[in-house]
Amino acid sequence: MLTGRKWNWFDWLNSLFMIAVCVAMIYPFLHMGSLSLSTSNVSMTQLRLLPEEMTLANYKKVLTNDFVLSGFVNTLKRTAAGTALSLLAIVFTAYPLAKRYFPHRTFWTMFIVFTMFFSGGLIPNYLLVKSLGLMNTTWALILPGLISTFSMIIARNYFMSLPDSLEESAKIDGANELSILFKIIIPISMPIIATLTLWTAVAHWNAWFDSMIYMTDTKKHVLQVVMRRVVLEGTQDMVDINTLEDSNASVNPETIKAATVMVTIIPIIMFYPFLQKYFVKGVLVGSLKG
């Protein structure tokens, strides 16, 4: 809003609407956090912002559970490896397609975009993963969706917005294509790289369905599958309350579920502030230019 401009009715309505949206999004998160810090005698029918009696027994139980720990490690491995490999594959695909001298560039671009609308389906993908011997491996969660077509198009548009003079000057100095890509293009493309990193990391962190169908060993399930079993199915062997070391710290399944949800979402939320300053610029430039 410009300084000194008077607010009209639209500004007030828009502000009230945005405040209502923020409250609707933040309040359930605060309630879940309050519930995760509450003791077993908390009323489940009341919405709260702060717990009446605070305890860390729920988090202690969740963070010492074997299923949660193994799921957390599996999710970290998947997110780290999947994000790094996906970014590398996206850049290696988008950079050549951004060059006007690339042979049949339009055909290959449309060929890749075609996959956004049509795919082989679940059963062919499952049979492919099984025939390649990837069942019960992290590769089954990474390789089938290694390249996001949408992310590749965004990266391609961003690379097309860069001036050709940068590449021409580097070639005059004797640089090859890989040197130009890693020493010039990628360093000045941090907004789109950071944006794609955030998108890919969040997608891998939140994914659960592929782990559920490709992983038959429960010790290899990702954290989201563990959370699903705890929250939706209420599987008691996942949260055996009787194993608490402190017998005075009573918990119940609902507070355990809330703590599991918080443990699942807090790490990825903490990841966002480090990339926030690049996010808006990367999205705008990558989607509008080219």
Side-chain angles (χ1 to χ4, degrees), residues 95-210:
Y95 182 67
L97 293 177
K99 300 304 174 184
R100 294 178 175 84
Y101 55 80
F102 185 76
H104 311 294
R105 182 183 66 160
T106 303
F107 168 77
W108 291 116
T109 302
M110 296 305 299
F111 183 79
I112 296 175
V113 171
F114 180 82
T115 62
M116 292 181 65
F117 307 99
F118 301 95
S119 63
L122 176 61
I123 295 178
N125 284 334
Y126 179 85
L127 295 177
L128 177 62
V129 170
K130 185 176 181 179
S131 63
L132 293 176
L134 300 179
M135 298 291 291
N136 282 315
T137 65
T138 306
W139 298 112
L141 310 179
I142 297 176
L143 294 182
L146 186 63
I147 298 180
S148 168
T149 303
F150 178 77
S151 298
M152 191 279 295
I153 295 299
I154 295 293
R156 170 184 175 271
N157 291 346
Y158 189 95
F159 292 147
M160 290 178 65
S161 69
L162 300 178
D164 296 334
S165 57
L166 292 174
E167 182 179 350
E168 295 171 356
S169 301
K171 287 184 177 179
I172 293 176
D173 294 335
N176 56 30
E177 294 291 345
L178 287 178
S179 298
I180 295 174
L181 177 61
F182 285 101
K183 295 183 179 180
I184 299 177
I185 301 301
I186 291 182
I188 65 176
S189 301
M190 286 309 299
I192 195 63
I193 297 297
T195 301
L196 297 181
T197 299
L198 182 62
W199 285 351
T200 308
V202 170
H204 277 293
W205 185 272
N206 290 334
W208 60 273
F209 185 70
D210 51 358

Side-chain angles (χ1 to χ4, degrees), residues 2-24:
L2 299 176
T3 303
R5 186 175 72 87
K6 293 183 178 180
W7 279 28
N8 54 33
W9 63 270
F10 176 79
D11 294 325
W12 287 106
L13 290 179
N14 190 40
S15 298
L16 292 176
F17 174 76
M18 295 304 299
I19 292 174
V21 171
C22 291
V23 171

Side-chain angles (χ1 to χ4, degrees), residues 268-284:
I268 199 64
I269 291 179
M270 296 176 60
F271 181 66
Y272 176 77
F274 298 99
L275 303 177
Q276 182 181 6
K277 63 178 180 180
Y278 300 108
F279 186 76
V280 175
K281 182 179 179 182
V283 172
L284 291 179

Side-chain angles (χ1 to χ4, degrees), residues 54-71:
M54 184 175 295
T55 179
L56 296 178
N58 302 312
Y59 287 96
K60 180 181 178 181
K61 177 59 188 170
V62 169
L63 295 176
T64 55
N65 183 274
D66 292 337
F67 288 103
V68 174
L69 290 179
S70 62

